[in-house]
Amino acid sequence: MGKKWTTASIPDQCGRVAVVTGANTGLGYETAKALAEHGASVVLAVRNVEKGEQAAACMPGDVTVQALDLTSLDSVRTAAAALRSRLDRIDLLINNAGVMYTPKQTTTDGFEMQFGTNHLGHFALTGLLLDLMLPVPGSRVLTVSSTGHRIQAAIHFDDLHWKRSYSRVAAYGQSKLANLMFTYELQRRLAAHGTTVAVAAHPGVSNTDLIRHTPAALRLPVTWLAPLITQTPAMGALPTLRAATDPGAFGGQYYGPGGRNEIKGHPRLVTSSPESYEVAVQQWLWAVSEDLTGVKFPVLQSQHNSVPSGSAITI
C-alpha cells in the first residue's frame, strides 16, 4: 500500500496564485490555509468580508480577501472584475463554497438556491476568470462535489428550479451532480488547449457548517453520530488539495476519501455515478447554464466524445 497523502505531500506552491471560494470557514478555510502554508498567494473569495479578514489573519504569507456572493450574478461579475484588475494570472481556481439542504428559496436572480449557488454561481465565476488561467501551464479548475450527487440526483431540465414541488435532498443532489457534469464537460473543452485542466473532489462526510440545514428528523441523530461518521474539516479538505496540487493528477479526475464508502480517510482517485458521465446531459447542462447566467466561456470546442465511467481525461 502506498504512502498516505497528507498536507505534507503538497508540492511547493511558491509563485502560484489560488482563488478559493467560501474560504473563511470549514473546508475552504483548511484548503486556503494549507495552500498558503506551502507558499501560494491566496485570495479568499467570501460573502462575509469581515469573517474573511479574520480567517486571513490566521494564515501565513500573502492572503487577501475578495467579496463574492454566489447567490447574485451581479456580485459574481463584480468580484471577477475586481480579481481581473488585481491579478495577472490564476493557477488554481477552487470552487468550494456551497449550501446544503436549504429550505425552499431562490437566489437574487430567481434560481433555486442550491442549484444557483453550488453550480450556476461557480459556472459564471469560472467563465469570467478562465482567460487568466489558460496561459498558465499547470493551472487547474477544481470544483467540490459531494457523495450527495448520487442521492435522488438527476438534472431536472423540465423544472430546474423546483417550482412545481421541492425536495431539499434531491435539489442538493442535482446541484452536486451538476458540479461533476460541469467539470467533465469543461475538461473536454480544455483538452485541446493543453494548459488548464478541470478536476473535482468531494470531502466525504465532514463536520462543517453545511449540516445546519439537515432535515429536522435527521438533525439529532446526525449530531449524536457526528464523532463516529464524520471527519474533521482538515481531513475533508485533503481530496481538494490533492486534486489541486498533486503532480500526478490529470484533468477529468475525481478525488475523495479512501475509507469505506468514501466517508472518511486519506484521499484517493474515486469514481462518480454513471449518470455523471452522460455526455449529452453534460452538454445540455452547459448550454442551459450559459443561457441562465449570460456568461460565455472563452472559445473552447467540445470534442463530443464520451467519458468512460471511472476514467480520466488526460492531456
Side-chain angles (χ1 to χ4, degrees), residues 173-196:
Q174 173 178 259
S175 73
K176 294 286 103 178
L177 179 59
N179 287 154
L180 285 164
M181 289 189 158
F182 166 58
T183 296
Y184 298 151
E185 178 62 15
L186 177 59
Q187 174 56 32
R188 196 160 29 248
R189 292 168 181 250
L190 288 168
H193 201 86
T195 52
T196 309

Side-chain angles (χ1 to χ4, degrees), residues 239-252:
T240 294
L241 288 164
R242 183 167 189 178
T245 67
D246 189 338
F250 292 99

Side-chain angles (χ1 to χ4, degrees), residues 17-21 43-45 64-68 76-90 93 125 128-129 132:
V17 177
V19 176
V20 185
T21 69
V43 180
L44 314 184
T64 57
V65 177
Q66 173 59 52
L68 169 67
V76 172
R77 291 188 179 93
T78 298
L83 290 169
R84 295 176 67 84
S85 71
R86 58 192 274 206
L87 302 176
D88 58 7
R89 62 182 284 165
I90 296 174
L93 174 59
L125 183 68
L128 293 167
L129 295 178
L132 290 180

Side-chain angles (χ1 to χ4, degrees), residues 73 105-113 115-116 120 161 292-293:
L73 289 176
Q105 54 190 303
T106 59
T107 68
T108 302
D109 303 283
F111 309 140
E112 186 277 315
M113 181 63 71
F115 186 70
L120 291 174
H161 306 296
L292 290 173
T293 63

Side-chain angles (χ1 to χ4, degrees), residues 127-180:
L128 293 167
L129 295 178
L130 191 60
D131 63 345
L132 290 180
M133 305 186 73
L134 292 175
V136 183
S139 55
R140 300 183 189 184
V141 177
L142 181 287
T143 301
V144 178
S145 184
S146 165
T147 54
H149 86 274
R150 298 177 181 274
I151 303 173
Q152 300 181 30
I155 306 298
H156 298 269
F157 289 108
D158 60 336
D159 190 17
L160 278 174
H161 306 296
W162 300 85
K163 293 181 179 180
R164 292 198 295 269
S165 64
Y166 182 67
S167 163
R168 64 176 73 187
V169 173
Y172 180 68
Q174 173 178 259
S175 73
K176 294 286 103 178
L177 179 59
N179 287 154
L180 285 164

Side-chain angles (χ1 to χ4, degrees), residues 264-296:
K264 298 168 133 183
H266 292 267
R268 64 174 174 85
L269 190 62
V270 297
T271 302
S272 56
S273 67
E275 292 80 7
S276 69
Y277 295 105
E278 294 179 359
V279 176
V281 181
Q282 293 167 13
Q283 293 171 345
W284 292 335
L285 177 64
W286 186 283
V288 168
S289 300
E290 284 191 330
D291 287 342
L292 290 173
T293 63
V295 172
K296 302 294 183 182

